[in-house]
Amino acid sequence: MGQKVLFFGDVGIDDTIALLYAYLSNEIDVIGIVACYGNVPKQQTANNVRYLLKEVGRTDIPVMGGAEKPMTGEVPVFYPDVHGPEGLGPITPPTNHSPPLENFFQVIPLIEKYDDLVIVNVGRMTSLATLFLLYPEKMERINAFYVMGGAFNVPGNVTPSAEANFHADPVAANIVMRYAQNVNLFPLNVTQSAIITPGMVDYIDSKGKSDLIKPLLDYYYFEFYQKKVPGLGGSPVHDAATIMAVVHPELFTFFETPVAVEIDGVARGLSIGDFRQSFEQEEFDGRPVQNVAIKLDYFNFYRYFMEIMTGDSF
Ligand code: RIB
Ligand code: CA
């Protein structure tokens, strides 16, 4: 079996593509999924996960209900314009309450069970931050964290300076960056370049390994990015790029820096690292140094993604 992964996501389109990649790869073994608010409300992300697991015949994977709201106490903003009304583009998954959702704290026995567990967090960081507040010693058991979030010295996607996962709960993002050791962080600097073109979508669809990719990537998500980022050749799969790093870290160039997140004001959600030649670490409040991905090897990203999604060699 592959690398054991506990997955936290706000399961909309690119989270689903990340889970499909993991399902089709024999190098990744997802042992639990925490469904959180984010792209759409938590009830819908949980329903989407259970729909997906049924589609791929993996209803044995436990699904835990995560946070419904950010630590800021605000009512969350959702993004049906990007991810479709239910979070899966044109797909309307049946409402399915069987098997029932596990209690969130069922993540603890999973964390205790595996010695080499990694956490992949590709949505808001509220649920993950909660674990650092309640169970700091248990979190020391986690081998590494793979987190999608931030935009370093480049434009954001929900505000001029902030990326959506950091912006929606900057308090939680700050807690994770402050207390997690060994974070591999995948900001827009790399994920915005992890593009799936319409040609790739059609080829994947023709090979028949997953009939979900085409509906997921042909409508809302693709059209949203065409409007928002004219000239982009397709759909950026932020969360799939992040989970691919678990088995293909060589796809990325990393820069080591502590990370802080602005929590308020016009720059709310801004990710701050020290990209100067030399830096004083105490300026970051004793935060640990994290690995921030700053460059994607697109050629090999394309190859690995297409190999897993089609079964062909590239
Ligand atoms: O900014 C992109 C991120 O926000 C992705 O994880 C997407 O799924 C949304 O959660
Ligand atoms: Ca996500």
Side-chain angles (χ1 to χ4, degrees):
M1 289 300 263
Q3 170 64 56
K4 306 272 186 255
V5 166
L6 178 57
F7 184 95
F8 291 63
D10 54 338
V11 182
I13 288 178
D14 55 329
D15 308 68
T16 303
I17 292 168
L19 285 168
L20 281 169
Y21 181 93
Y23 163 68
L24 291 171
S25 165
N26 52 22
E27 293 181 285
I28 300 176
D29 182 14
V30 175
I31 53 92
I33 299 173
V34 181
C36 312
Y37 79 95
N39 292 317
V40 289
K42 172 186 137 182
Q43 288 73 12
Q44 279 173 349
T45 65
N47 199 48
N48 292 347
V49 172
R50 290 188 294 185
Y51 164 73
L52 176 67
L53 294 181
K54 206 162 186 184
E55 285 289 302
V56 300
R58 288 300 312 270
T59 49
D60 57 300
I61 297 175
V63 183
M64 277 74 58
E68 291 186 28
K69 294 183 179 61
M71 288 182 168
T72 58
E74 297 158 312
V75 175
V77 174
F78 302 117
Y79 295 89
D81 50 328
V82 187
H83 292 265
E86 311 285 333
L88 296 181
I91 301 169
T92 304
T95 309
N96 174 6
H97 296 295
S98 174
L101 211 56
E102 301 280 352
N103 183 299
F104 174 60
F105 292 105
Q106 290 306 313
V107 295
I108 298 301
L110 293 175
I111 290 171
E112 287 169 334
K113 184 171 173 184
Y114 300 104
D115 286 331
D116 65 341
L117 189 63
V118 304
I119 286 182
V120 170
N121 192 120
V122 290
R124 289 39 170 159
M125 270 143 262
T126 320
S127 307
L128 184 58
T130 304
L131 293 175
F132 281 101
L133 298 182
L134 295 181
Y135 299 103
E137 69 299 334
K138 300 264 184 247
M139 298 309 276
E140 287 171 16
R141 291 182 54 78
I142 306 299
N143 244 6
F145 298 86
Y146 295 79
V147 174
M148 193 281 134
F152 291 82
N153 311 320
V154 297
N157 58 1
V158 287
T159 73
S161 56
E163 178 280 330
N165 288 337
F166 272 26
H167 182 267
D169 193 345
V171 175
N174 239 324
I175 289 170
V176 173
M177 294 304 134
R178 173 70 187 81
Y179 293 110
Q181 302 284 338
N182 199 7
V183 172
N184 301 293
L185 184 61
F186 300 88
L188 294 178
N189 305 59
V190 289
T191 66
Q192 188 87 348
S193 312
I195 298 291
I196 307 303
T197 65
M200 291 164 77
V201 170
D202 286 342
Y203 190 69
I204 292 168
D205 194 55
S206 75
K207 302 304 283 189
K209 281 192 98 175
S210 171
D211 55 8
L212 292 177
I213 295 286
K214 193 167 168 61
L216 286 172
L217 287 181
D218 258 4
Y219 302 95
Y220 294 84
Y221 197 75
F222 175 73
E223 280 161 18
F224 170 82
Y225 276 103
Q226 289 304 293
K227 273 191 227 122
K228 278 283 175 197
V229 194
L232 204 65
S235 304
V237 288
H238 308 279
D239 299 346
T242 302
I243 206 165
M244 286 170 74
V246 172
V247 287
H248 290 300
E250 75 280 6
L251 287 176
F252 301 90
T253 305
F254 291 93
F255 186 86
E256 293 186 359
T257 174
V259 175
V261 184
E262 183 62 47
I263 58 170
D264 213 353
V266 74
R268 171 190 167 135
L270 173 74
S271 44
I272 304 161
D274 195 336
F275 290 83
R276 296 173 296 177
Q277 290 297 315
S278 65
F279 63 87
E280 303 292 332
Q281 224 164 292
E282 59 268 27
E283 286 179 30
F284 279 87
D285 192 25
R287 286 162 190 263
V289 170
Q290 313 293 14
N291 307 305
V292 179
I294 51 168
K295 193 161 178 265
L296 170 72
D297 170 359
Y298 184 78
F299 179 79
N300 283 310
F301 163 81
Y302 174 98
R303 279 185 52 222
Y304 296 141
F305 187 85
M306 293 303 278
E307 280 180 4
I308 292 297
M309 292 297 180
T310 65
D312 287 357
S313 294
F314 282 83

